[in-house]
Amino acid sequence: MLSSIRLEEVKAMICGLFRKQNQLLDMKTVFFELTLNIMMQMIAGKRYYGENVSDAAEAKRFRGIHAETFLLSGQTIIGDYIPWIKSKKMEKRLIECHIKRDSFMQYLIEEQRGKILETDCCVEKKKNLIQVLLSLQQNEPEYYTDDIMKGLMLVLLLAGTDTSSTTMEWALSLLLNHPEVLEKAQIEIDEHVGHDRLMDEADLAHLPYLRSILNETLRMYPPAPMLVPHESSEECLVGGFRIPRGTMLSVNMWAIQNDPKLWPDPRKFRPERFDNPEGARDGFKLMPFGYGRRSCPGEGLALRVVGLALGSLIQCFEWQVGGGKMVDMTEGTGFTIPKARPLEVTCRPRPSMLRHLSEI
């Protein structure tokens, strides 16, 4: 329903890169701002990064809160596991950040509630997430409380931004280190989409090699290498070990997807592994989004956003790493395996796309 938002934000990213051609670009920032703009447009109909920001002060407030949230959430809270060394200072910072974040999200809810009361704004156009939740609240107020709504908004912002932007950064880094793969992907897009328009989400179903590139990136650098913690509801056996009821378990997805017993040459980037993408799911070898009832509900959205953004970059630009060197693929620390060093590159329009890009 909101695919037009994703398309417009990707187009805005392409226009911004076109204006900065031949300049050194920090792609970590480009991708992070893209995913946050997409998510906030879907949640509240607002964009807080780049051009066309309606309220500069509000945007600055959001950016500050979100940056602090990721800074704190990226730090391992050792005190949760070893209570006697728990940091009161860290706990205080977390509480203060939560209060600021909760207040901001409540402001967004009240703003949308006021618009609905003042005008019948949601009848003739597509609703954003808050408007949908407010309409549900009218029928089930005991369930769709403001706290439930803020919880859903927070999950989307935390789980649907850094994970996708990090995957895009790894994918482009891999392509730059494997120019033959990049060229093959460009040929596929040229043959299906052509040079007279930007690709859209409908094209993704007809670009199997692009999907293979995404699968191989997700295999090598899963956005949540330990997935999310699971708790056993009943006593069970896992790999021959007795797991009591109520035990917290973490699945080392990175180890499974980089196991040489399951994947020949696991640290080599070979999208051709996924010429038969369904086969990779046999035996639970590829599960970057988890599996079953507790798998990530945002898988479809993530693949659309990452696929559209990465495909558009492949279609529109030629890329070069600073100094003509290989991209440093050293992994950093964090919940989502970020790159240790942000990807810095220059781009210029592909000759076949120059006329179209200049007319956007």
Side-chain angles (χ1 to χ4, degrees):
M1 186 177 75
L2 301 177
S3 61
S4 60
I5 288 175
R6 300 189 287 275
L7 183 60
E8 286 303 312
E9 287 299 331
V10 169
K11 186 183 294 186
M13 175 188 69
I14 294 297
C15 289
L17 294 176
F18 179 65
R19 290 193 295 270
K20 296 178 181 178
Q21 56 184 287
N22 298 319
Q23 299 179 29
L24 191 63
L25 303 166
D26 178 355
M27 295 307 295
K28 179 183 180 70
T29 300
V30 170
F31 290 140
F32 192 60
E33 292 183 358
L34 168 70
T35 53
L36 274 170
N37 271 339
I38 288 175
M39 203 57 71
M40 284 308 300
Q41 283 267 50
M42 295 173 66
I43 290 173
K46 294 171 178 282
R47 64 194 319 272
Y48 290 133
Y49 296 88
E51 300 176 353
N52 301 320
V53 173
S54 57
D55 189 324
E58 183 180 314
K60 182 179 180 181
R61 180 184 172 198
F62 172 84
R63 292 196 294 263
I65 293 172
H66 203 68
E68 186 178 9
T69 296
F70 271 95
L71 176 66
L72 295 175
S73 63
Q75 299 180 17
T76 303
I77 311 302
I78 302 298
D80 287 345
Y81 302 93
I82 311 175
W84 56 86
I85 65 169
K86 196 163 188 174
S87 168
K88 292 292 185 181
K89 183 178 180 180
M90 176 61 72
E91 186 174 343
K92 182 181 178 182
R93 288 182 65 190
L94 286 165
I95 292 172
E96 290 174 348
C97 180
H98 167 72
I99 291 172
K100 288 188 289 186
R101 188 176 58 233
D102 186 83
S103 174
F104 186 83
M105 290 190 294
Q106 188 66 49
Y107 158 76
L108 293 177
I109 291 173
E110 296 301 336
E111 182 183 51
Q112 295 296 326
R113 183 177 281 134
K115 288 182 178 180
I116 293 174
L117 292 174
E118 291 173 7
T119 62
D120 207 2
C121 68
C122 302
V123 174
E124 299 296 333
K125 67 175 185 178
K126 296 175 182 177
K127 299 178 181 179
N128 58 47
L129 174 71
I130 296 177
Q131 291 168 345
V132 170
L133 293 174
L134 285 172
S135 65
L136 292 170
Q137 189 182 63
Q138 293 177 356
N139 297 322
E140 298 181 73
E142 70 285 350
Y143 179 77
Y144 290 99
T145 63
D146 285 5
D147 281 342
I148 288 288
M149 293 165 61
K150 287 182 285 188
L152 289 170
M153 293 161 62
L154 182 60
V155 166
L156 285 172
L157 285 171
L158 291 181
T161 53
D162 190 48
T163 49
S164 295
S165 63
T166 299
T167 299
M168 294 181 209
E169 190 180 7
W170 280 119
L172 185 56
S173 299
L174 288 164
L175 289 173
L176 290 171
N177 281 350
H178 297 82
E180 73 285 356
V181 177
L182 177 58
E183 182 180 3
K184 187 175 178 179
Q186 286 177 332
I187 292 172
E188 179 184 64
I189 294 173
D190 289 346
E191 290 178 349
H192 176 75
V193 182
H195 306 118
D196 297 325
R197 66 176 179 90
L198 292 179
M199 65 173 287
D200 57 35
E201 288 184 7
D203 295 314
L204 294 175
H206 306 288
L207 301 170
Y209 193 64
L210 177 61
R211 178 59 191 268
S212 295
I213 291 171
L214 294 183
N215 280 334
E216 181 71 337
T217 302
L218 290 167
R219 181 192 69 79
M220 296 180 71
Y221 302 98
M226 299 294 288
L227 296 183
V228 294
H230 290 65
E231 184 175 304
S232 54
S233 55
E234 299 293 341
E235 183 174 314
C236 57
L237 285 175
V238 176
F241 293 90
R242 184 183 71 86
I243 307 299
R245 176 181 180 178
T247 302
M248 192 67 72
L249 297 172
S250 292
V251 176
N252 191 339
M253 202 63 254
W254 187 96
I256 294 172
Q257 294 182 173
N258 287 272
D259 187 344
K261 296 177 183 178
L262 302 175
W263 304 92
D265 297 321
R267 297 314 295 164
K268 288 188 177 180
F269 179 60
R270 287 171 38 199
E272 290 75 15
R273 301 176 199 270
F274 296 97
D275 288 344
N276 176 21
E278 294 304 318
R281 293 234 172 185
D282 296 342
F284 307 103
K285 295 193 298 180
L286 181 74
M287 297 184 293
F289 297 95
Y291 206 85
R293 291 191 305 163
R294 296 293 179 262
S295 64
C296 174
E299 178 178 356
L301 176 61
L303 292 175
R304 283 174 172 81
V305 170
V306 176
L308 179 61
L310 185 64
S312 299
L313 297 179
I314 294 171
Q315 178 191 19
C316 294
F317 298 105
E318 295 176 350
W319 300 88
Q320 186 173 7
V321 185
K325 301 178 182 178
M326 297 281 284
V327 176
D328 184 350
M329 301 299 284
T330 305
E331 299 174 7
T333 58
F335 182 76
T336 58
I337 310 189
K339 290 178 85 279
R341 297 178 181 175
L343 176 61
E344 294 185 336
V345 294
T346 58
C347 70
R348 64 177 183 270
R350 296 177 65 204
S352 57
M353 292 296 294
L354 182 58
R355 182 182 62 83
H356 181 69
L357 290 174
S358 63
E359 295 174 352
I360 296 178

